Amino acid sequence: MKQKVLVTGGAGYIGSHTVLELLNNNYSVVVVDNLSNSSREGLRRVEQITQKTIDFEEIDIRDGDALSRVFERYDIQSVLHFAGHKSVGESVAKPLQYYDNNFTGTLSLCEVMQRFNVYELIFSSSATVYGATTQCPISESAPIGATTNPYGSSKYMVERMLMDLAKSDPQWRIATLRYFNPVGAHPSGQLGEDPNGVPNNLVPFVSQVAVGKLSEVKVFGNDYNTADGTGVRDYIHVVDLALGHIAALQYMEEHQGFEAFNLGTGRGHSVLNIISAFEKYSGQKVPFRIVERRSGDIAECFANPNKAKDILNWSAERDLKEMMEDTWRWQSKNPSGYS
Ligand code: NAD
Ligand code: WQD
């Protein structure tokens, strides 16, 4: 039986792009996903692009019995763990759902991994674990835990659990990848982000304005202490992010313990930069209006990406032009996403 990489949440936005790069790197993949925020269509397109097949199991990772059957059925060597809820606003309204899915889900996964002697885990964390108190650029050695919402706290709690797990048994090989702001789409235009309802994040919102689904972008505040007064973030192309997972997977095949890596570009862009870059590279008008700050937002957040470069030999290569062009190719070819 060929050894497989298990990808939880592999039908989602970042998971599906990573599955594609895993297949391109000759890994054999089994995806588990409960399709709570995705559909089978993304993976069908990954199969079409790569001309390779993906084993798929529709299960919830909190169902330990169902997960155990997956570990019985396939020879799993390592796990990339994307499954979870990701909306900051929803997490404030429904904290228990977030702690349950993100924390209990990961606990359930780790229990099954331990039972089946599978010890390599790559976890999808977020720059949000650094919280509001950190100076930019942010290094992995900065304190974590000053989180400002249940989503961020659930990611922080998982990281704490994984640190303890790695300490408890040296067989564990765990990397937590702290993503900055993932954007963009596969250059084929076949694969991209398909948010439910009105997008919360800036780039999907901008692209839906450009395609005419929404009327204008609301810019949340222009009185921050930044060059143009609008919020600054470290946007990273989803294909670079996916390749960062391959680098982490390969590194952790050879290294024990727990390691945290920032996955960002190290460059910050303001909201107004993003809107004008999108207009330039899509050729579409993007009307916008300045409104009040969004509660919980910080002025700036960008990575020091040196650790991933030095240790994983990975760095983000795709610039704002590719991020915006690829977003627009996906959005204009698929105005209604996968549906
Ligand atoms: P996504 O919602 O597109 O993908 C998550 C996938 O997990 C979905 O396909 C969903 O159906 C599945 N899922 C959720 N709960 C599950 C469960 N209990 N059992 C099985 N499957 C389940 O989100 P994404 O943007 O691809 O994010 C992937 C991961 O990266 C998440 O853990 C998210 O918190 C993290 N992350 C995302 C961002 C971002 O901005 N997109 C930033 C930092 C971290
Ligand atoms: C970016 C900038 C907004 C929308 C969130 C999560 C984080 C991570 C990534 C998962 C900010 C401004 C936004 C809009 C705007 N996700 N903005 N108008 O808030 O940096 O990060 O997604 O882990 O945890 O918090 O991303 O895309 O929402 O905002 O002006 O309609 O755009 O104020 O400055 P954020 P974002």
Side-chain angles (χ1 to χ4, degrees), residues 86-88 125-129 149 151-152 155 179-183 199-206 217-221 224 230-233 235 269-271 275 291 293-294 296-299 301:
K86 64 166 177 177
S87 161
V88 169
S125 189
S126 167
T128 194
V129 298
N149 56 71
Y151 167 72
K155 291 287 177 190
Y179 313 160
F180 280 68
N181 288 59
V183 299
N200 298 311
N201 294 114
L202 178 65
V203 172
F205 201 106
V206 167
V217 179
K218 293 179 186 60
V219 175
F220 297 142
Y224 286 106
T230 66
V232 166
R233 297 291 183 271
Y235 297 93
H269 297 284
S270 74
V271 177
I275 293 174
V291 301
R293 289 182 179 195
R294 181 172 68 180
D297 274 353
I298 52 178
C301 177

Side-chain angles (χ1 to χ4, degrees), residues 2-15:
K2 190 167 181 195
Q3 283 202 317
K4 293 210 179 259
V5 178
L6 174 70
V7 183
T8 77
Y13 170 47
I14 303 168

Side-chain angles (χ1 to χ4, degrees), residues 8-16 32-39 59-62 81-86 101-102 105 123-127 151 155 177-182 193 201 241:
T8 77
Y13 170 47
I14 303 168
S16 58
V32 300
D33 200 301
N34 65 0
L35 303 181
S36 58
N37 197 37
S38 55
S39 70
I59 63 157
D60 192 302
I61 56 163
R62 289 164 294 182
H81 176 35
F82 296 94
H85 293 326
K86 64 166 177 177
N101 204 30
N102 294 0
F123 172 62
S124 297
S125 189
S126 167
Y151 167 72
K155 291 287 177 190
L177 305 183
R178 298 174 182 155
Y179 313 160
F180 280 68
N181 288 59
E193 187 170 9
N201 294 114
L241 195 65

Side-chain angles (χ1 to χ4, degrees), residues 90-159:
E90 188 183 52
S91 81
V92 175
K94 301 173 180 170
L96 297 181
Q97 273 189 25
Y98 273 69
Y99 289 117
D100 179 36
N101 204 30
N102 294 0
F103 185 77
T104 316
T106 308
L107 179 69
S108 158
L109 173 68
C110 292
E111 279 174 349
V112 176
M113 288 178 69
Q114 193 165 46
R115 194 156 355 109
F116 285 84
N117 299 311
V118 177
Y119 291 105
E120 185 180 358
L121 175 64
I122 312 296
F123 172 62
S124 297
S125 189
S126 167
T128 194
V129 298
Y130 295 113
T133 57
T134 306
Q135 290 291 312
C136 294
I138 306 174
S139 301
E140 292 82 352
S141 56
I144 61 169
T147 49
T148 52
N149 56 71
Y151 167 72
S153 302
S154 72
K155 291 287 177 190
Y156 169 67
M157 286 165 62
V158 169
E159 286 209 13

